[in-house]
Amino acid sequence: MRRALLFAIAVAVCGVAFAGSSLPPVSFAPHVDYNVGATAGSLVAGNFNHDDKQDLAVANYDDDTISVLLGDGSGRFPTINTIGPFTNVLAPSAIAAGLVNNDEVPDLVVTGEFNGKIGVLLGNGNGTFQEPLTVDVGVMPDGIVLDFFNNDKNLDFANTNYGDNPGTVTVFLGKGDGTFESAPGHCHLDNGVQCTTDGNCTGGSGDKCDKFIEVDGGPIGIASGKLNNDDFVDLAVAGYDTGTVFVLFGHGDGTFDTPTVLEVGLEPSSIVVKDLNRDGHDDIAVADDMSDSCGDAAGCVYVLLNDGTGNFGQPTHFAVGEAPEGIVAADFNGDKLIDLATADSFGSGDLLGSVSVLAGDGSGNFPVPAVAFETDLCPYGIVAVDLDGDESPGIATANEITNANNVSSASVLINQSGQTPGPTPTPTMTGAVPTTTPGCIGDCNTNGTVTIDELVLAVSIAVGSADPMACKSLDRDHSDKVEADELLAAIDNALNGCSQ
């Protein structure tokens, strides 16, 4: 009878194990840190010195500077330029890069949180930038995105204004020379006048209306994409104060519909738009730094799948590290399916700073528990980009903690997925250094036998409903998950006695 039960469990276990193992593992080299300015909050990648190698630009909140890290193509950044300090863009917080003056040299656009301005820094093509041109926006601009909102081939920008009451989004249209004009739309609410259909403010001077779109929920993160079926660029905004996502459908002329409100967690802070389930329609993922839906000592990622018409299903949630502040989407494990990664400002497990990677299965689901990799303390911003020319996206984070010398850091993690691991162990979710596990595989209580209860626990660990630490002897390769060969070895030990 016992043998029959074990055989039945073996069949079930093998089905689970081989299904789960279809997602390739993800691996990163240990982080390498670079000194930047004070309180690094956001970063962006680009080819800033025109050498076809990826560089990084980091916005430093407390010293009003931008640090530009010039890459050598191997994942290293031997040259760091400091741009600033600025006197007209105070407390730079969010940063974006693009060709705003159409000269094939990447430029930077950054929010000045303290003085309500957007700074536009035109690139010189050698890793340096011109003095910021400024655009007045709302109070405490926090997030920013560059995209083509009026289809004229000139980059435009949209930003969130967290300090406006109620919160707002502003949209400015690029002229193609590095300058911007307000999109037609609504007058600033403080003006006490309305915008007419011809773009003039009633009782005003006849100038174009400032495009302040009311987003009443503490807007922070912002992303763009095509979220319905009209081929115009739309916006998605994380409402930090109300636990909501706001979707703004674009008209193709720089104007947008009244926001559609979607409920998610408690404090969504950052947002990404990407096709997560391979149906040709952009979906939404948000990082929530205070949600209680994913358990103690864990943050949440909420996923909203789009049916292609702008309607979204109920959010699903997935646990990551504590207080995730940034989120990106890319194929990290090389299976051509989109994965997600978060910057966990309070770390994960024993790690004081981390990024968590959720491997996607191509259906909008992320069935394998997140794997965390160590960074420097308090990562906030995150970017995914091929840093070493191997066509696999690495990760870089901007880390807020400032040391006694008024210096923060940027952490760089090179993607090693699919490669033979090097001699240095890759940080795992617990941050533990691999050690030899005593006993036989599957013998959770190290008493010399593998029981039915222990095999049931093995199944639970394989499907992600139990902690791998509950049976350390199962994880012989120290991958923080149970692979098919490990389950088969445990079954063999249960049937024939401990031998491996």
Side-chain angles (χ1 to χ4, degrees), residues 253-264:
D253 59 359
T255 66
F256 293 82
D257 281 344
T258 300
T260 298
V261 182
L262 307 173
E263 301 290 334
V264 286

Side-chain angles (χ1 to χ4, degrees), residues 5-32:
L5 283 171
L6 288 172
F7 182 77
I9 291 174
V11 173
V13 164
C14 287
V16 170
F18 286 111
S21 63
S22 63
L23 293 178
V26 64
S27 177
F28 289 88
H31 64 101
V32 176

Side-chain angles (χ1 to χ4, degrees), residues 90 111-118 135-141 161:
L90 304 181
T111 61
E113 191 168 315
F114 276 7
N115 64 339
K117 294 183 184 294
I118 303 298
V135 179
D136 290 324
V137 288
V139 179
M140 293 179 64
N161 301 296

Side-chain angles (χ1 to χ4, degrees), residues 98-103 146-157 172-181:
L99 305 177
V100 301
N101 63 341
N102 295 324
D103 65 355
L146 289 166
D147 212 324
F148 299 96
F149 299 132
N150 63 341
N151 293 322
D152 66 354
K153 299 183 180 180
N154 297 325
L155 270 178
D156 313 310
F157 76 78
F172 278 79
L173 304 179
K175 298 181 179 180
D177 59 359
T179 64
F180 294 82
E181 64 178 358

Side-chain angles (χ1 to χ4, degrees), residues 20-61:
S21 63
S22 63
L23 293 178
V26 64
S27 177
F28 289 88
H31 64 101
V32 176
D33 300 326
Y34 296 87
N35 290 339
V36 293
T39 313
S42 179
L43 77 169
V44 69
N47 178 21
F48 300 129
N49 60 345
H50 235 243
D51 62 357
D52 295 324
K53 298 166 185 175
Q54 287 294 326
D55 313 308
L56 299 171
V58 182
N60 304 307
Y61 188 88

